[in-house]
Amino acid sequence: MAETVVEVQNVTRCYGKLCAVQDLSLSVEKGESFGFLGPNGAGKTTTIKMLTGFIKPDRGTISIMGHDIAREDIEAKRHIGLVPDEYGLYDDLTAADHLRFYGRLLGMHHSDREAAIERSLKRVELSEQTNKKTKGFSHGMRQRLVIAQALMHDPAILFLDEPTTGLDPVGAKEVRDLIKKMTGEGMTLFISSHLLFEVQEMCKSVAIINRGRLLKKDTIENLSTVLKNKTGRQLILLLQNPVEPVYKAVAAVKGVESITVEGQAYKVRVNNPEVQFEIPKAAVDAGGRIMAYYEVNPSLEDVFMDLVGVGK
Amino acid sequence: MTGFIYTVITVFRKEMWEHFRTKRLIVIGAIFAFVYVLLALYGNILTGAGTSGYNFERGANAVLTTVLAFTGFFPGLMAIVISYTAIVGERSRKSLILLTSKPVKRPALFLGKFLSSYFAIVLVYMVVMTVGFLGCVAASGKVPSLEEIGRAFGAMAFVLFTMAAWVAFAMFLSSYLKNPITVAVAAIMIWFLVMPIVSQIGFIYWIMSNNNDGAPRNVDVGLQQVPFGNATVVLSGLESPAYAVYNETGPVPGFAFGSYYTVSNLPPGNYSWTASGTGIKRAGTLSIDGMHSYTVSFGPNLNVQAARDLNVTLEKGGRLLAPKTESKGPFTNYTYENETGEGRLVISSNGTVLFSGNYTLDRQARRGMGAFMTQTPPDYVKYNQLINPDSAMTGYEKVLDPDSRASISPSEGAGALAVFFGAFMLLGLLVFTKTEMV
């Protein structure tokens, strides 16, 4: 049985009458890359702040590697690496100065610390910037340095809160690649994000939260399958000539529930697996010229929208 | 080394490093140095106009006394400027979240930040003060005794204590408020209101006060006549006073300032005066005739300042001691150094004795912090009597006023400062430790 790194039990946190998190329970196993999803105001940031010991829950318990974060915060924090969504660096310190400072706060001894500085900067590909002041760092470089400080002590779990927010496409891709690399290395990650495609790319399992309550927690694959079973299969018919007669012919096939036209593509939802062979035939018979025909599984976005709902 | 102390040292080192990489410390030091030089020179000019001689002639401690007296407000302001961003700066820069995500105790972070702000400002203060002191020594040409050096640096050490209190105060606001500008405005506004109190209990009053042990103090009720043109009469000596001078026809208008009342341009004639203050009422008469005058002040040294045509002699045990004389404007200063015990003072003009009488040089033990800076114990220089020898004056008295306590005792002052410091350290620690800062 996998070791539990994070255990959250019946946690509630309210600000006055407004409860940001209500009766939340979840766990993260060792080696899991865990996505924490929710719309704005769902309670993600409050949850992360509770998990990392910045605020205390009104009710319930949170333990990190078996240490209650409320009562044994020092011990619990030894196992945590944090990349917050908003952070600041000390402009007049170099990259190495930053890591040296944080390494000391982590209680690392000189030789371990210096080795960790070298290793962490190499890991985030900032070795060449070791002795440069962070004043001149780009947003992406700053983000990577913050990831480096979180990795210095090889934490049991790394919390990443909106890790690519505010980065340009190049910087965002660099950070995503870095996170994927860490996933491949078996690190336990807890990623909070509202960018669903990113989470789908970086995580194996997710929890979806809305209005402070946990809606679902499972692997992305399982969630997708459940949705597929619930809503039916979705087939994509890409046509050279998406004309009216073709549309009518496909719509007339028995078992076709709905068709959504997006440019040259028909998104066809069906309730019967056998019908997939009828659709191209009907299209060709009606004069359609098919460029591609394939099935798509529900994306994380589909799952998310199904659970949370548009505009809710 | 425990984790707590290691954290304090780590934060201290990093903060000191940052202090010295920013320009704030240099700017503060430069402004303070400029103010120091200005006050040393200004104070010298100011005191040179009086009877006590120029500061630089009296030595480095005299200069330092003036500088400290006029810069009572500065150390607090310096302490606030260096420390107000300690916590709120981290918060607004959003670096606090990384700092507090580490497995460290928050009081250790607070203490490290306090110590770094404090030592940074102490360093600047002491560099300016020490260089200034050495400059004053060089300018005065008088090598201070070990005791004088001890007094000078003792007074500075006391200032450092007030700075610690102000750093603690700024750290509290820095923890409590969320915006650096709000912290700066609030800190300076409160400093402006509280500063006179804290400065006085801190050091100024102790250094400058006549009587610093908190006991009932001597109150002098007397007259000074300033000998230029028609006479100027100065009544002084009481706290919260009401003075008046009368001629035959009624009150003569004068100018009140603090514990002084000045009536200028009085022609020769007969006058009366009244003085009332805390629990004391005195009255007397005054006759002004001619412009000959002298001043006598009693300290460890007997100092006589007289108009030029006066002869001043000092007899002790039948032996006449030669005074050190110096001309200063219309006056001649006679200084009888290191005279103690009883003697007889004779002041004459053109062979006519205008005044003769016994004097006593009183040597009391120096007490408390007030003795730090003054070269002569404060009690001796409290009264600088200016008497017209051709005038008759009655009513001068020296009384012990049981209701008038001089200033605040050293223990009370230190206690008040300790409370000020301790309260804000505790509040700051509580806020920083218990509040959800991010």
Side-chain angles (χ1 to χ4, degrees), chain A residues 243-263:
Chain A
V243 292
E244 183 78 17
V246 179
Y247 179 90
K248 282 183 176 169
V250 173
V253 175
K254 195 178 178 186
V256 171
E257 282 198 334
S258 65
I259 304 174
T260 311
V261 181
E262 283 182 9

Side-chain angles (χ1 to χ4, degrees), chain B residues 7 54 145 188 306 343 353 360 438:
Chain B
T7 304
Y54 288 100
S145 65
I188 289 173
V353 174
T360 302
V438 292

Side-chain angles (χ1 to χ4, degrees), chain B residues 55-75:
Chain B
N55 275 341
F56 280 112
E57 292 168 3
R58 292 160 61 204
N61 276 31
V63 183
L64 198 55
T65 304
T66 309
V67 172
L68 283 176
F70 283 93
T71 57
F73 69 95
F74 217 86

Side-chain angles (χ1 to χ4, degrees), chain A:
Chain A
M1 188 179 163
E3 188 181 0
T4 302
V5 179
V6 178
E7 182 77 57
V8 180
Q9 286 183 332
N10 308 109
V11 163
T12 297
R13 169 71 198 214
C14 301
Y15 297 98
K17 287 180 180 174
L18 178 74
C19 287
V21 176
Q22 294 182 68
D23 204 28
L24 178 72
S25 296
L26 57 87
S27 62
V28 181
E29 308 298 328
K30 189 176 182 186
E32 195 174 357
S33 68
F34 185 84
F36 194 55
L37 306 174
N40 289 335
K44 297 195 299 293
T45 301
T46 301
T47 305
I48 289 244
K49 282 183 178 175
M50 286 193 286
L51 290 174
T52 47
F54 289 106
I55 59 176
K56 288 178 181 167
D58 297 331
R59 286 192 299 277
T61 57
I62 296 169
S63 71
I64 307 287
M65 295 297 285
H67 299 284
D68 187 323
I69 191 88
R71 286 179 303 181
E72 304 169 80
D73 63 324
I74 301 288
E75 278 309 307
K77 282 181 180 179
R78 288 191 203 288
H79 300 288
I80 290 174
L82 174 65
V83 180
D85 59 338
E86 286 185 306
Y87 55 81
L89 298 171
Y90 307 105
D91 284 349
D92 286 312
L93 299 191
T94 65
D97 287 340
H98 275 86
L99 298 193
R100 209 161 277 131
F101 175 57
Y102 291 125
R104 286 196 181 104
L105 293 180
L106 286 161
M108 298 172 81
H109 294 293
H110 178 78
S111 53
D112 293 344
R113 188 171 64 233
E114 292 305 313
I117 291 170
E118 198 181 332
R119 189 177 62 241
S120 305
L121 288 175
K122 193 175 173 187
R123 199 167 182 180
V124 299
E125 295 173 11
L126 279 178
S127 296
E128 288 179 11
Q129 319 296 328
T130 303
N131 293 313
K132 289 186 180 162
K133 286 185 182 179
T134 56
K135 199 181 284 180
F137 276 23
S138 69
H139 200 150
M141 288 158 75
R142 294 167 85 86
Q143 183 75 333
R144 280 185 280 149
L145 180 60
V146 172
I147 293 175
Q149 65 81 34
L151 293 173
M152 275 190 84
H153 56 308
D154 291 325
I157 182 163
L158 182 64
F159 289 96
L160 297 120
D161 195 2
E162 307 286 359
T164 59
T165 300
L167 298 181
D168 62 29
V170 177
K173 186 172 184 320
E174 284 172 356
V175 169
R176 271 200 306 274
D177 290 345
L178 183 62
I179 294 170
K180 277 193 276 185
K181 198 170 140 196
M182 290 189 286
T183 308
E185 290 166 3
M187 274 201 71
T188 312
L189 304 175
F190 188 104
I191 304 169
S192 163
S193 179
H194 62 268
L195 298 176
L196 302 173
F197 78 97
E198 276 191 358
V199 174
Q200 185 152 18
E201 206 175 325
M202 296 184 292
C203 301
K204 288 191 174 65
S205 53
V206 292
I208 298 173
I209 183 174
N210 192 25
R211 294 178 182 171
R213 290 187 182 277
L214 182 68
L215 301 179
K216 213 79 176 176
K217 178 186 178 296
D218 208 335
T219 61
I220 295 173
E221 195 180 340
N222 286 348
L223 289 172
S224 176
T225 306
V226 169
L227 183 64
K228 190 159 79 174
N229 293 340
K230 179 181 160 190
T231 60
R233 299 170 70 187
Q234 185 169 267
L235 302 163
I236 304 293
L237 183 66
L238 191 61
L239 294 159
Q240 204 175 24
N241 56 339
V243 292
E244 183 78 17
V246 179
Y247 179 90
K248 282 183 176 169
V250 173
V253 175
K254 195 178 178 186
V256 171
E257 282 198 334
S258 65
I259 304 174
T260 311
V261 181
E262 283 182 9
Q264 291 177 281
Y266 289 176
K267 282 187 174 177
V268 185
R269 196 171 289 284
V270 298
N271 57 15
N272 180 357
E274 300 303 321
V275 82
Q276 63 175 311
F277 304 109
E278 303 298 324
I279 291 169
K281 188 171 177 296
V284 171
D285 290 348
R289 291 190 290 280
I290 296 172
M291 293 161 68
Y293 180 58
Y294 54 91
E295 180 179 1
V296 288
N297 286 324
S299 66
L300 185 57
E301 185 176 352
D302 298 325
V303 173
F304 184 85
M305 296 311 287
D306 180 62
L307 288 169
V308 175
V310 183
K312 288 184 184 176

